[in-house]
Amino acid sequence: MSAWPQPEEIARQTMEVDIACAGFGPAMGGFLTTLTRARNENPADPAFESRASPGMPLQVVCYERADDLAAGVSGVVTRAQGIRASFPDLNPAEIPLAVEVKRERVLYLLDPIGARRSKLLRCADFFLGMGRGLWVKDHAFELSWTPAFLHKRGGLVLSIGQFNQWVGAQLMASGLAQIWPGMPVAGPLLAGEKVEGLRLADQGVDKLGAPAEGFMPGMDVHAQLTVVGDGPVGAVGIALNQSQRRPQDWALGMKFVIELPEEAAGPDSELRPGTVWHTIGYPEPEIFGFLYVHPDRLVSVGIFVPSWMSDPARTAYRYLQHYIQHPALWRHLKDGTLRSWGAKSLDESGRRGQPAWCGDGFARIGEGSGSNNMLTGSGVDEAWTTGVQLGEAVLKLLRAGLPFTHENLSNTYEKLRRASWVERGAREAEHARDGFHGGLVRGLMGMALAGLTRGKLALPGKVPAAQRQIRPCSSYAQSGLKLKDAAALALEDGRPLHDALMSARGWPEIPFDGRLLVTHQDALLMGGKVQAAPGFSDHVLFRDLAACMTCAEKTCIAMCSGQAITLGEDGLPVFEREKCVHCGACLWNCAQSADGVRGNIEFRAGAGGLHSGEN
């Protein structure tokens, strides 16, 4: 399947602005907050006079794909260093679902049901299990301390959706920035190497993008500066990445927001607001997990499935259901109610996968610029701070009357970022997770070594492209046969491939209760359904269907968060745009690659978002 070619002769409306922004998240919040604060402090400052519309204030427009500013998908814990610097008088009670971190635990979860374990881990589980009632409780071993590099005490537990909405409301009230949700950006406007603005996605088109009834070409928004903050799988960032370094390490984060019963959240409960758990070991050894307690008896519970978990049968939703049933969590959660669900891909390459931060007419901020710190397990505060740094650089250039050239942005934004705590942390974390490519134990040792030495020491590991991290099915016949059995089962009774895979591999069936343990489709309806407006083209495209036909792994189907990619009767993947939650997992879970770098899936601009503001 290929997209309809969009000829340049299509007449498009144009608009001139000073600054055009792609994507609204924490990074863009930090950037726009810095600009609006400076203008509010001195509205007469000539730096804020528009060059695009003389006599008017600076014209700053931000376009966001999702339907609402609260469609961010993550419950997070952050040290909030950069966020508190922007809001020195911040009262967490002003932000829905926000609370200060009060207590932390790090748990190694033993296997209660016989999941996949190496011989070394089985031995470790055996010896730890001898201490039941002493150092092991509910099949969990708790570290006696939280390592300093993981510590978030005094930071914040946040719902990114609610935080984005809180920040966005303040920005819109200032009058400087316009934020337009439900407006996907198709890509950058390029003149050679220079970025001259953004092109919005066409509307009124068929699935391939060809004009249909009500066709309306996307507007060309010309700008002196284009700010790219559309995340690791955003259309603008992907277009600019064609000739640059690409992320190699990824993870899919998936979570539930669960409402606890009153008796489970009392003043003496282990799950008081501000409680944070970090876990490792279950449902698969490579899967990290978390539990964050918000106010109002709500908890965010989730897992991270990494690309270096080489098993092509990797999945997420059912793994998450097994995770919450682990005895250490289940005794608190079993009487709870599922409120919402969400998923998001994370770029875990950090500094090693950083693209160019700026060029002529553009600058990148946030996760798509490689700001995540995978040693500390932190990204929101780093993203926010990169936005603040760009804001400070832009103010300096505006006041000096200098253009947004590569040289000027390098001398301001890049210089600020290189000298900041964000980059210092990125250097310390650069090789912290390389060891995981040599096994879980080696990875944990390498991560601990990097954390304790502030990155001076680490265990090296060869990091292949994400597609190369998927172990081919042909290399292990038993798993290959199970994959074929699962595919047949999925086609026979209509169950999702990922669910059939788990059953074929011996995992117990989920005892659905219609309240907390529900089917994947019910979870989508309860709090993760995509509100995809009609008239946009498909944004997930398969470059070469012949490669899909010969693919034995079908990892793109197993890892699809919203069941938007399913197995067709002809053995080919089928994409349903209305179900896609834009997590981007298919991009790095495609085992087919013609050049050894890119997969067989192309991810373009798409509309829609999650309807639950609790995400």
Side-chain angles (χ1 to χ4, degrees), residues 529-542:
K529 187 180 186 313
V530 176
Q531 305 294 308
F536 289 97
S537 64
D538 281 354
H539 52 277
V540 172
L541 305 172
F542 305 98

Side-chain angles (χ1 to χ4, degrees), residues 111-135:
D111 172 22
I113 63 171
R116 181 170 60 91
R117 283 290 203 267
S118 67
K119 290 182 180 179
L120 181 59
L121 284 179
R122 285 201 298 269
C123 288
D125 283 4
F126 174 77
F127 285 110
L128 285 173
M130 294 172 63
R132 284 193 175 91
L134 297 174
W135 56 79

